[in-house]
Structure formats: C-alpha cells, structure tokens
Amino acid sequence: HEWDLLAADHPEQFSQVDDCGVLFKRILDVVVLIVGNREHDALLLLELGRAFETCFRAVYKLPVSAQAVAAGSRNSAEKRVLAAYWNICLLVDEMIDEGAIDHIDPSTVLKALDLKPTK
C-alpha cells in the first residue's frame, strides 16, 4: 500500500519541500495533503489539519474510534466524499480564504457550514 507510512498510529506526517510545508494526513481511507508557504509553519499546518479532520468527520458523519472504523466499508470516507463532493468545497472555502487561513476553530467552521446552502 502506497500510504503505509500513514498508519493508524501515525496518521499524519509533515515534510518541508523547498519553501513549502506539506502535511500528509490520513482520515480513514482518504489522504489529505495540505500545503503551506514559508508563512505557514509545521505547527500551524498541523493545527489546520486537525481542525479539518474534526470538521471532515462531522460533515460526513464518520466515526472517530478504531472499533467503528473496523466495522467495514460502510464507513468509507472516500465513498462519502465522492457522493457529496460539494461538502469538501464548502469546508475548504470556510477554512481558507484566498490562500490565507481564515477559520481554524472547528465549532466556528461547523456553525458557518450550517448557514451555507448545499449544492
């Protein structure tokens, strides 16, 4: 498996590539890449990634516990994302504005998402 480095006990990795920081984050069967410029240090990208995961799980109603994940493919994040891709677009739009991190508090982001129209 090509994402073996992102195992359950290490679901996130950070790399520095030239002037860019790259966070690789695994959420169930989806790998999220978050890239920041020199203004975004590793701690900020990790905080953004963890806030994104909290919101992502809430929006797609994904389990947090390992026992629920072991329940099988009905918890597939990939299937849920493909079925309702616009939710990802709304989530990213609420957290990032023109390349700048706008909101990082999951409760604020989720409240704002409730106010936006779907589709």
Side-chain angles (χ1 to χ4, degrees):
H1 194 268
E2 61 250 15
W3 293 102
D4 286 340
L5 288 175
L6 298 173
D9 54 342
H10 299 291
E12 54 195 15
Q13 299 287 327
F14 180 82
S15 293
Q16 190 72 34
V17 180
D18 296 326
D19 286 342
C20 297
V22 182
L23 175 66
F24 301 87
K25 184 154 191 61
R26 185 174 187 172
I27 305 172
L28 298 178
D29 57 344
V30 172
V31 176
V32 178
L33 285 88
I34 300 174
V35 180
N37 60 23
R38 66 179 79 103
E39 296 174 11
H40 306 110
D41 63 0
L43 189 57
L44 180 61
L45 290 179
L46 284 168
E47 190 175 346
L48 176 64
R50 290 174 183 168
F52 178 84
E53 178 177 5
T54 300
C55 295
F56 182 86
R57 286 181 182 276
V59 166
Y60 287 105
K61 297 173 179 52
L62 296 170
V64 177
S65 70
Q67 293 82 13
V69 172
S73 63
R74 65 188 170 138
N75 291 323
S76 170
E78 180 182 20
K79 288 179 184 175
R80 294 181 191 199
V81 168
L82 293 175
Y85 186 74
W86 66 87
N87 285 330
I88 286 285
C89 298
L90 291 173
L91 179 56
V92 170
D93 180 59
E94 194 56 44
M95 296 185 86
I96 299 173
D97 184 29
E98 295 184 18
I101 297 172
D102 194 19
H103 293 40
I104 204 163
D105 177 43
S107 61
T108 303
V109 173
L110 291 171
K111 284 179 189 175
L113 288 176
D114 286 340
L115 299 175
K116 290 189 175 201
T118 57
K119 286 191 182 180

